């Protein structure tokens, strides 16, 4: 599993900026939802390129003789 990182920057005026790395698609918002609710109102959200990537789903087919 790739490393997931959430970075916070607290500005002198009290604004908190959050950067999520290593998470693709809607999983980013799901990951940070509770943190953002605890911090207060989200004023603005900017998506990175990772937000538009499809989550990779691995599947494997079994040979017919194992069914």
């Amino acid at each position: 599993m790739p490393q997931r990182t959430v970075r916070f920057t607290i500005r002198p005026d009290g604004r908190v900026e959050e950067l999520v790395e290593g998470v693709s698609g809607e999983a980013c918002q799901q990951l940070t939802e509770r943190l953002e609710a605890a911090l207060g109102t989200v004023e603005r959200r900017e998506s990175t390129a990772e937000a538009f990537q499809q989550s990779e789903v691995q599947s494997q087919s079994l040979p017919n003789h194992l069914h």
Side-chain angles (χ1 to χ4, degrees), residues 16 35-45:
V16 178
L35 289 169
E36 291 171 358
L39 289 171
T41 304
V42 175
E43 292 181 11
R44 185 175 62 154
R45 182 173 279 120

Side-chain angles (χ1 to χ4, degrees), residues 9-53:
T9 303
I10 302 172
R11 299 287 175 196
D13 64 0
R15 288 181 299 127
V16 178
E17 294 179 3
E18 171 187 273
L19 175 64
V20 180
E21 300 170 331
V23 181
S24 59
E26 294 179 10
C28 175
Q29 190 168 348
Q30 294 169 353
L31 175 69
T32 60
E33 195 170 61
R34 291 187 349 183
L35 289 169
E36 291 171 358
L39 289 171
T41 304
V42 175
E43 292 181 11
R44 185 175 62 154
R45 182 173 279 120
E46 291 181 34
S47 298
T48 63
E50 283 181 307
F52 298 102
Q53 294 176 347

